[in-house]
Amino acid sequence: PVLPMPYSDQGVSYTFGAPLGNDFDINWTGYAVNGLQGSVTGIDFDATRNAYTDNNARPAMGTRLTAGTKNLQFGGSFMAGESSPTGGLGANNDALYYRVYGADVTYRYEDILRIQAEYARRDSDRIVSLPDDFRTRDHIDGFYVESELLIWRAKKISLFGRYDQQH
């Protein structure tokens, strides 16, 4: 997957927001976290989820920007870091890097209707040949569109639909 959910990490974040008038606001978040962990075969999501410490003492950096109204919200995000452990990997002790970026949009009509879409892509290094340490970069991207319509408020029943695709 591009980035399995739920994705959790340890680090620090900061957020700034400002209203720009007429129910329109903008928010910016920046963060430094442990980031994704990897091996010669690429990103290892099990190791990433199970570790409370960074495997290389180099934080991943990321940012997210959102803008919109209470009904229509646009967002974009970017994160980059090193996935290889301290000392690198392979015969040449190579550092392997990754970057994840995406864009999303959400439309809400009161608490009755929600339509949401997101596109995301991850580019990550891996070593494909040992002992030569031939390095390549994987490109994985995908998107989803989902919606939810409240059918019966008293019984909390909604109609939900989702379509997603990954390349």
Side-chain angles (χ1 to χ4, degrees):
V2 177
L3 189 61
M5 294 296 170
Y7 170 71
S8 62
D9 212 333
Q10 295 76 39
V12 62
S13 70
Y14 43 91
T15 301
F16 300 98
L20 297 179
N22 292 342
D23 190 36
F24 189 88
D25 64 310
I26 189 164
N27 292 287
W28 176 69
T29 300
Y31 55 89
V33 295
N34 289 340
L36 303 177
Q37 297 186 25
S39 65
V40 292
T41 58
I43 302 296
D44 183 339
F45 290 112
D46 289 331
T48 298
R49 285 183 173 167
N50 293 330
Y52 288 100
T53 58
D54 197 356
N55 66 338
N56 57 28
R58 292 186 189 95
M61 307 298 276
T63 188
R64 176 157 175 78
L65 181 67
T66 60
T69 67
K70 69 177 186 174
N71 296 103
L72 186 60
Q73 190 81 220
F74 295 92
S77 56
F78 177 81
M79 177 172 76
E82 182 179 338
S83 61
S84 52
T86 300
L89 290 167
N92 296 329
N93 298 319
D94 288 332
L96 303 179
Y97 298 94
Y98 66 90
R99 67 178 181 235
V100 181
Y101 52 94
D104 57 270
V105 61
T106 302
Y107 172 76
R108 286 185 169 88
Y109 176 71
E110 298 179 4
D111 65 344
I112 298 171
L113 174 67
R114 178 185 58 84
I115 302 170
Q116 185 170 318
E118 179 179 14
Y119 169 81
R121 178 174 170 140
R122 176 174 47 88
D123 302 325
S124 52
D125 294 340
R126 68 182 170 94
I127 297 173
V128 293
S129 173
L130 292 173
D132 302 331
D133 281 357
F134 176 72
R135 186 184 344 192
T136 190
R137 178 161 279 203
D138 289 333
H139 305 285
I140 300 169
D141 70 328
F143 70 91
Y144 73 87
V145 177
E146 68 181 33
S147 63
E148 183 176 15
L149 177 64
L150 181 63
I151 302 293
W152 191 357
R153 186 180 313 278
K155 297 290 184 178
K156 299 181 182 176
I157 296 175
S158 293
L159 180 61
F160 179 83
R162 178 180 172 105
Y163 177 78
D164 57 58
Q165 190 171 46
Q166 184 173 311
H167 308 105

